[in-house]
Amino acid sequence: MATANLQHSLAVPPSIRTSPSPIAGGAAVVQEGNGRDLESAEQLVLDLCDPALREHALLVISKKKEICQDALAPLLWHSFGTIAALLQEIVPIYPALDPPTLSPGASNRACNALALFQCIASHPKTRMLFLNANIPIFMYPFMITKTNTRPLEHLRLASLGVIGALVKTNDPGVVEFLLRTEIIPPCLFCMENGHELSKTVATFIVQRIISDDLGLRYICTNAERLLAVVQVLAQMVNSERLLAVASVQRDPAKLVKHVIRCFHGLSADARACAALQIILPDVLKDGMVETYLVDDLATRRCLQQLLHNVKVGGVGGAPQPGLDHMMGILTI
């Protein structure tokens, strides 16, 4: 009886199911195939609630999430017990973070669960439900692991992927949630300590937050927070490895682009410009970076506007109490 009720709870509404197209036989065949994929996904979601079947279901459904993405996120969120089952895959591995004892197999299994959370975070019908349940907070511990073993780095990157999926939208509720739950420190930690791809995704998240008015005010109205962000960005630019990555690619490395766009966004605030006038790396001012941006006109314009904003002192804002003191510490 319970299984029958669970099956009923997983039934996909007619608006989500794909019906055969009367227009062309070929299209009907494609849609029939999609329908079979959806039915298979429904059974896999059921299997997630069975501990004996969960590992296989996680592996298969994480690979199918692109095939039936529109239907999968609502199916995962609204099916009975599924979110609890996914949380059961990530919470028990917290003790393996420090000291780092996480096995590759356990990491892969948790990453498959995180991939499904990313699917839910990406969908407009489940995104705010996901935030209102505070689910992203469960990923924050994975972002601040102190060692960079392969299993932990994979976990860090998968967690960043969930947050990155959230900020790709222009939903102000996303930025408000992330700021309220203090996402900036974990991102800065990843930017300093993660591997190249983790650094890139974390910097992208910070860039998206800075591009939002609420996010920019949040960073710039607190002197210590502002300087923490600016210093980490400056350290990244000064990294020889960062420039080496850019130099071997025809297009500028994504990390270089995101760092410049972070600086550019901050330069819209006079308080940030006061810090940038001291901290902005010489490599951004002497034209060296521009050699890596020959084919990226948009990023070159961002860099030029950044340098102009810093030179003239920003485009608005008032001096931040405590900032002068912090600047003094940096120049000693």
Side-chain angles (χ1 to χ4, degrees), residues 127-270:
R127 185 182 305 118
M128 291 311 299
L129 296 172
F130 183 67
L131 293 179
N132 291 338
N134 293 316
I135 303 295
I137 296 175
F138 288 94
M139 289 101 203
Y140 290 6
F142 303 138
M143 297 168 61
I144 55 174
T145 53
K146 297 177 181 179
T147 56
N148 287 348
T149 63
R150 185 181 294 273
L152 290 179
E153 185 62 25
H154 285 172
L155 204 56
R156 189 204 313 273
L157 184 58
S159 300
L160 285 166
V162 177
I163 309 303
L166 289 170
V167 299
K168 281 183 179 180
T169 69
N170 292 319
D171 192 332
V174 169
V175 173
E176 189 278 332
F177 172 86
L178 294 177
L179 296 179
R180 176 166 49 83
T181 55
E182 299 186 1
I183 189 63
I184 296 294
C187 283
L188 295 182
F189 185 91
C190 293
M191 290 159 67
E192 288 186 289
N193 301 284
H195 289 176
E196 204 70 40
L197 193 51
S198 291
K199 288 176 182 283
T200 301
V201 179
T203 308
F204 168 73
I205 293 169
V206 172
Q207 175 204 325
R208 295 291 294 181
I209 290 173
I210 291 173
S211 68
D212 184 273
D213 289 341
L214 178 62
L216 183 63
R217 288 197 304 271
Y218 175 85
I219 292 173
C220 293
T221 53
N222 181 287
E224 292 186 7
R225 187 182 298 135
L226 170 61
L227 289 174
V229 172
V230 171
Q231 285 181 306
V232 170
L233 290 170
Q235 290 169 7
M236 295 175 72
V237 172
N238 287 327
S239 167
E240 293 182 4
R241 177 173 174 78
L242 175 60
L243 297 181
V245 169
S247 66
V248 299
Q249 297 186 19
R250 180 178 178 183
D251 294 326
K254 290 183 179 180
L255 182 51
V256 176
K257 179 189 299 186
H258 292 319
V259 170
I260 291 174
R261 290 182 181 275
C262 283
F263 276 129
H264 174 256
L266 289 172
S267 72
D269 187 279

Side-chain angles (χ1 to χ4, degrees), residues 20-158:
S21 170
I23 298 176
V29 171
V30 172
Q31 291 191 356
E32 182 181 353
N34 290 340
R36 286 197 298 269
D37 287 330
L38 185 55
E39 291 176 1
S40 173
E42 291 177 20
Q43 182 57 53
L44 289 167
V45 170
L46 276 173
D47 291 347
L48 290 174
C49 294
D50 186 340
L53 302 175
R54 185 178 302 159
E55 183 174 8
H56 177 262
L58 280 170
L59 179 61
V60 176
I61 201 170
S62 64
K63 295 178 180 179
K64 285 180 172 285
K65 64 186 179 69
E66 303 297 335
I67 299 176
C68 48
Q69 186 173 9
D70 288 344
L72 182 57
L75 184 63
L76 287 167
W77 184 262
H78 294 291
S79 57
F80 178 80
T82 302
I83 300 303
L86 294 178
L87 288 174
Q88 287 171 7
E89 290 299 306
I90 62 175
V91 173
I93 65 176
Y94 289 158
L97 302 180
D98 189 16
T101 58
L102 186 65
S103 68
S107 174
N108 289 338
R109 182 164 171 167
C111 287
N112 288 335
L114 290 170
L116 299 187
F117 278 131
Q118 181 175 339
C119 176
I120 295 170
S122 302
H123 200 286
K125 292 183 178 179
T126 53
R127 185 182 305 118
M128 291 311 299
L129 296 172
F130 183 67
L131 293 179
N132 291 338
N134 293 316
I135 303 295
I137 296 175
F138 288 94
M139 289 101 203
Y140 290 6
F142 303 138
M143 297 168 61
I144 55 174
T145 53
K146 297 177 181 179
T147 56
N148 287 348
T149 63
R150 185 181 294 273
L152 290 179
E153 185 62 25
H154 285 172
L155 204 56
R156 189 204 313 273
L157 184 58

Side-chain angles (χ1 to χ4, degrees), residues 258-309:
H258 292 319
V259 170
I260 291 174
R261 290 182 181 275
C262 283
F263 276 129
H264 174 256
L266 289 172
S267 72
D269 187 279
R271 294 158 291 198
C273 280
L276 294 177
Q277 287 170 351
I278 296 174
I279 303 177
L280 192 68
D282 290 338
V283 71
L284 293 180
K285 297 183 285 188
D286 60 14
M288 182 181 297
V289 166
E290 287 201 33
T291 61
Y292 308 130
L293 305 177
V294 175
D295 298 325
D296 192 330
L297 181 60
T299 303
R300 289 173 62 192
R301 286 176 175 171
C302 277
L303 177 58
Q304 292 166 1
Q305 186 64 50
L306 160 65
L307 298 176
H308 172 75
N309 289 351

